[in-house]
């Protein structure tokens, strides 16, 4: 019994000792599990944070640096672009009735001699381009005796890229924050504090009034109807009708409605690699998304690579960089994207070309023959849609004005000069009412002298009175009323405007008015003396 008890006593602690020696695995496993599970969450957290900071940097910092004033932006441009601007001029158009006019840039190569100029051609660029891209085509067309002009559509090149609109109220917290930021940017950080020191109160009412109704600048976003109005106003103000139109890339989609409605003002249409289902050769997505846009427009090599892949394989890096600078300046990329979204992507070129108004309008299609097989197939589709058009291929890319400008100009001039010469109607513009009134008064007064006095004196007076105002119009002496009207209406619009301005200055001049009034008085006195002498001589001769 004792032995058994001792064995039981010795065997009893064995399981206790065995328990102490075995390491407890359970408490360690839960510690290792959260560590392995937290690593992917931390990775995604830091990744999202980094990406957000990068996006904020591109949105705020780079945009604030790029939004410089017009003068600084212009002086930073290369010499070739500034020279292009100096050769052009701006005209005002008003596509929206309730908004301020828009300044539009136009350029024309040195006009050939009047004996060689026979036709007017207006070049309308495509998506993301400007008139600068067609400078070589303009020069080549001018050398062939064609008056060639190009414009920068609103939102592009040197034309206006934004307009002021009135906004009422501010939506949301972000809108209020952005308004406070714009106020600080405009008036300074301590503006409200200065007002409080001067007036003794916070300018709360003024801030609320400014917030309730204010003018903000927004990118221009014109659709095809508004773009058509712009085209019509340019043609009218420059006196180009009937005009030959050259429409490149997406320009057809913007101007097609206006051409259909005003075909009598169009002499011919030349389509250069037109597109109807997309915005243009340059993808709109590279300008629409902020991060991609800042990379593409921020680095010249990146933009040149995009142009080489999508638009032109032989364009020089300097020329591509010039387009990048014009596209980026004054937030032009935002206006280009807004306008590109207004394009009618359901436009049917076959329906447009087969309309009744365009059956008598000569057409030509210039298409790239070596860009890609898909683009060649698209050209065949356009040729079938416009059976009346003259279909010609060229060796350039989708921006042929950069690849082969001389070839393009040669084909365009051959087509235009093969047509019958354009007949332009010279409308007889009436003489201003106040000028006509003075002529009529002088003429009626002189007729009274004819009935009561000698014809010779009337001829002198009429010649004096008429010549005074004829000379004011730069016509010299010896012109009568009919000759004056015919001579005036034979001049171009610009010359007539100068003549009109000179006449207004002439009549408003006090010294000239005194001279004219003195001449009238002297002429009246001389006529009275002649009449009195005639009356006294008659009785004397009748005396026996």
């Amino acid at each position: 019994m004792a032995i058994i008890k001792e064995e039981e006593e010795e065997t009893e602690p064995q399981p206790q000792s065995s328990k102490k020696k075995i390491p407890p695995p359970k408490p360690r496993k839960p510690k290792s599990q959260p560590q392995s599970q937290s690593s992917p969450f931390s990775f995604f957290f830091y990744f999202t944070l980094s990406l957000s900071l990068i996006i904020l940097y591109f949105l705020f910092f780079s945009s604030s640096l790029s939004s410089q004033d017009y003068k600084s932006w212009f002086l930073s441009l290369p010499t070739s672009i500034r020279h292009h601007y100096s050769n052009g001029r701006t005209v005002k158009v008003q596509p929206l009735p309730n908004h301020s006019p828009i300044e539009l840039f136009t350029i024309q190569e040195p006009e050939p001699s009047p004996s060689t100029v026979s036709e007017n051609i207006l070049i309308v660029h495509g998506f993301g381009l400007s008139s600068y891209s067609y400078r070589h085509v303009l020069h080549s067309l001018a050398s062939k005796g064609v008056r060639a002009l190009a414009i920068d559509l609103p939102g592009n090149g040197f034309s206006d890229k934004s307009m002021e609109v009135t906004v009422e109220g501010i939506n949301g917290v972000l809108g209020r924050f952005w308004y406070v930021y714009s106020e600080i940017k405009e008036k300074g950080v301590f503006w409200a504090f200065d007002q409080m020191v001067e007036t003794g109160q916070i300018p709360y009412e003024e801030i609320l009034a400014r917030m309730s109704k204010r003018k903000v600048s927004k990118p221009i976003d014109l659709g095809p109807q508004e773009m058509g109005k712009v085209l019509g106003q340019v043609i009218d103000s420059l006196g180009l009708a009937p005009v030959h139109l050259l429409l490149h890339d997406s320009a057809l989609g913007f101007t097609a409605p206006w051409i259909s409605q005003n075909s009598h003002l169009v002499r011919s249409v030349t389509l250069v690699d037109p597109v109807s289902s997309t915005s243009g050769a340059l993808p709109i997505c590279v300008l629409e998304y902020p991060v991609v846009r800042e990379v593409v427009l921020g680095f010249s090599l990146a933009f040149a690579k995009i142009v080489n892949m999508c638009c032109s394989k032989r364009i020089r890096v300097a020329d591509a960089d010039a387009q990048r600078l014009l596209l980026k300046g004054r937030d032009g990329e935002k206006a280009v994207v807004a306008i590109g979204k207004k394009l009618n992507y359901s436009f049917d070129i076959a329906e447009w070309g087969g309309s009744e108004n365009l059956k008598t309008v000569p057409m030509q299609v210039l298409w790239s023959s070596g860009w890609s097989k898909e683009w060649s197939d698209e050209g065949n589709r356009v040729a079938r849609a416009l059976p009346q058009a003259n279909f010609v291929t060229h060796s350039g890319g989708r921006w042929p004005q950069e690849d082969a400008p001389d070839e393009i100009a040669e084909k365009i001039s051959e087509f235009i000069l093969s047509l019958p010469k354009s007949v332009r109607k010279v409308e007889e513009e009436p003489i201003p009412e106040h000028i006509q009134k003075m002529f009529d008064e002088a003429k009626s007064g002189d007729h009274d002298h004819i009935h009561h006095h000698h014809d010779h004196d009337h001829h002198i007076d009429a010649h004096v009175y008429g010549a005074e105002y004829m000379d004011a119009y730069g016509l010299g002496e010896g012109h009568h009323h009919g000759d004056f009207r015919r001579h005036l209406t034979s001049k171009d619009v610009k010359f007539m405007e100068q003549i009109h301005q000179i006449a207004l200055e002439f009549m408003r001049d006090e010294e000239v008015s005194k001279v004219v009034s003195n001449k009238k008085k002297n002429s009246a006195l001389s006529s009275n003396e002649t009449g009195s002498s005639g009356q006294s001589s008659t009785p004397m001769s009748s005396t026996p």
Side-chain angles (χ1 to χ4, degrees):
M1 295 288 294
I3 295 172
I4 294 172
K5 289 181 180 179
E6 289 177 359
E7 289 178 355
E8 290 177 355
E9 291 176 358
E10 291 177 359
T11 57
E12 285 178 0
Q14 287 180 357
Q16 294 178 358
S17 62
S18 62
K19 289 180 181 178
K20 292 180 181 178
K21 292 180 180 179
I22 297 173
K26 292 182 179 180
R28 294 181 181 178
K29 288 182 180 179
K31 293 181 180 179
S32 61
Q33 285 180 356
Q35 291 179 359
S36 60
Q37 292 178 358
S38 63
S39 57
F41 289 106
S42 62
F43 169 75
F44 283 110
F45 171 75
Y46 287 113
F47 175 77
T48 306
L49 180 62
S50 303
L51 186 61
S52 302
L53 291 176
I54 292 173
I55 294 175
L56 288 175
Y57 170 78
F58 280 114
L59 283 176
F60 293 99
F61 291 95
S62 61
S63 299
S64 61
L65 290 176
S66 61
S67 60
Q68 52 187 346
D69 60 293
Y70 181 80
K71 184 178 180 180
S72 302
W73 170 76
F74 181 79
L75 294 177
S76 65
L77 295 175
T79 306
S80 59
I81 302 180
R82 286 185 277 132
H83 180 70
H84 176 79
Y85 176 80
S86 63
N87 290 334
R89 54 174 290 196
T90 57
V91 296
K92 288 189 176 182
V93 295
Q94 192 163 9
L96 300 173
N98 298 327
H99 292 77
S100 301
I102 297 174
E103 286 194 353
L104 199 79
F105 178 79
T106 66
I107 186 170
Q108 174 186 346
E109 276 296 313
E111 188 173 345
S113 59
S115 60
T116 59
V117 174
S118 58
E119 305 298 331
N120 297 329
I121 180 169
L122 180 62
I123 300 176
V124 185
H125 62 80
F127 179 79
L129 288 167
S130 65
S131 61
Y132 178 79
S133 181
Y134 301 86
R135 63 198 182 281
H136 299 305
V137 178
L138 287 171
H139 181 73
S140 183
L141 286 173
S143 65
K144 298 178 183 348
V146 178
R147 183 190 178 194
L149 302 94
I151 63 174
D152 288 344
L153 291 175
N156 298 266
F158 289 106
S159 296
D160 284 348
K161 300 181 179 181
S162 61
M163 57 183 178
E164 285 190 351
V165 295
T166 303
V167 179
E168 295 184 358
I170 298 177
N171 297 326
V173 179
L174 184 60
R176 294 177 181 272
F177 173 78
W178 190 256
Y179 175 77
V180 172
Y181 171 75
S182 62
E183 285 289 300
I184 293 175
K185 187 177 179 181
E186 179 183 354
K187 297 187 175 183
V189 180
F190 300 102
W191 170 73
F193 180 75
D194 294 339
Q195 292 290 321
M196 186 174 62
V197 172
E198 293 178 1
T199 61
Q201 57 183 0
I202 299 175
Y204 184 72
E205 295 180 356
E206 181 180 352
I207 294 175
L208 286 180
R210 290 170 60 89
M211 289 175 62
S212 61
K213 192 173 183 180
R214 69 194 191 282
K215 289 185 177 181
V216 297
S217 179
K218 61 170 291 188
I220 290 178
D221 54 348
L222 304 181
Q225 295 296 332
E226 293 81 12
M227 285 294 186
K229 292 181 181 180
V230 170
L231 181 63
Q233 292 177 20
V234 169
I235 293 174
D236 180 64
S237 61
L238 298 180
L240 302 178
V243 63
H244 301 269
L245 292 177
L246 190 152
L247 309 177
H248 176 222
D249 198 57
S250 61
L252 174 62
F254 284 113
T255 59
W258 182 89
I259 296 174
S260 300
Q261 299 170 4
N262 301 273
S263 58
H264 61 283
L265 301 178
V266 179
R267 185 66 184 88
S268 72
V269 177
T270 299
L271 306 177
V272 181
D273 294 277
V275 295
S276 55
S277 59
T278 59
S279 60
L282 186 67
I284 192 174
C285 60
V286 300
L287 304 176
E288 184 176 5
Y289 302 108
V291 177
V292 179
R293 178 180 66 221
E294 294 298 335
V295 172
V296 171
L297 296 181
F299 302 95
S300 59
L301 293 178
F303 184 80
K305 189 66 176 178
I306 295 294
V307 172
N308 287 331
M309 290 190 301
C310 304
C311 308
S312 174
K313 297 177 181 178
R314 292 181 289 176
I315 189 173
R316 298 188 307 165
V317 177
D319 294 335
D321 190 58
Q323 297 299 329
R324 179 186 68 88
L325 294 175
L326 290 173
L327 189 61
K328 183 181 179 181
R330 299 181 295 161
D331 294 332
E333 69 279 4
K334 297 179 182 178
V336 169
V337 171
I339 293 173
K341 291 181 178 180
K342 290 290 188 73
L343 189 65
N344 183 16
Y345 294 102
S346 61
F347 172 71
D348 190 352
I349 190 172
E351 181 181 355
W352 173 77
S355 61
E356 190 69 25
N357 295 335
L358 296 179
K359 287 185 177 180
T360 59
V361 178
M363 290 190 186
Q364 177 180 228
V365 178
L366 300 180
W367 204 268
S368 175
S369 59
W371 181 255
S372 65
K373 183 180 181 303
E374 293 78 9
W375 191 242
S376 298
D377 295 339
E378 178 67 14
N380 295 330
R381 188 188 70 82
V382 172
R384 292 191 298 269
L386 300 174
Q388 76 275 25
N390 182 26
F391 193 85
V392 182
T393 60
H394 61 81
S395 61
R398 295 187 63 178
W399 284 4
Q401 73 279 3
E402 298 286 357
D403 290 335
D406 294 333
E407 179 185 356
I408 293 296
E410 181 69 27
K411 295 180 183 298
I412 294 171
S413 61
E414 287 180 0
F415 172 69
I416 290 176
L417 297 178
S418 66
L419 302 173
K421 289 186 177 181
S422 302
V423 178
R424 292 179 176 81
K425 296 180 180 179
V426 180
E427 297 183 358
E428 183 178 337
E429 295 189 10
I431 301 174
E433 184 179 354
H434 53 283
I435 302 291
Q436 183 66 48
K437 184 178 180 181
M438 284 186 287
F439 283 147
D440 294 339
E441 289 178 355
K443 192 174 181 180
S444 62
D446 293 334
H447 280 300
D448 294 337
H449 289 299
I450 290 176
H451 293 295
H452 299 287
H453 307 294
H454 298 287
D455 294 340
H456 178 71
D457 293 335
H458 157 69
H459 178 73
I460 294 176
D461 294 339
H463 181 74
V464 170
Y465 296 152
E468 291 168 357
Y469 293 102
M470 302 297 180
D471 291 339
Y473 273 76
L475 302 176
E477 298 182 358
H479 289 276
H480 298 287
H481 189 204
D483 296 333
F484 167 76
R485 183 182 292 273
R486 287 191 296 271
H487 186 81
L488 179 62
T489 55
S490 64
K491 301 296 181 181
D492 56 15
V493 177
K494 185 176 181 181
F495 184 77
M496 292 172 63
E497 291 177 352
Q498 294 177 353
I499 293 175
H500 189 195
Q501 185 63 29
I502 293 173
L504 292 177
E505 295 177 357
F506 181 91
M507 290 182 296
R508 292 169 182 170
D509 191 278
E510 295 182 358
E511 295 182 359
V512 174
S513 300
K514 292 179 181 178
V515 171
V516 172
S517 60
N518 291 332
K519 284 187 176 182
K520 288 183 178 179
K521 291 179 180 179
N522 295 334
S523 178
L525 291 175
S526 61
S527 62
N528 291 333
E529 291 175 359
T530 305
S532 61
S533 61
Q535 291 176 359
S536 61
S537 62
T538 302
M540 288 175 62
S541 59
S542 61
T543 305

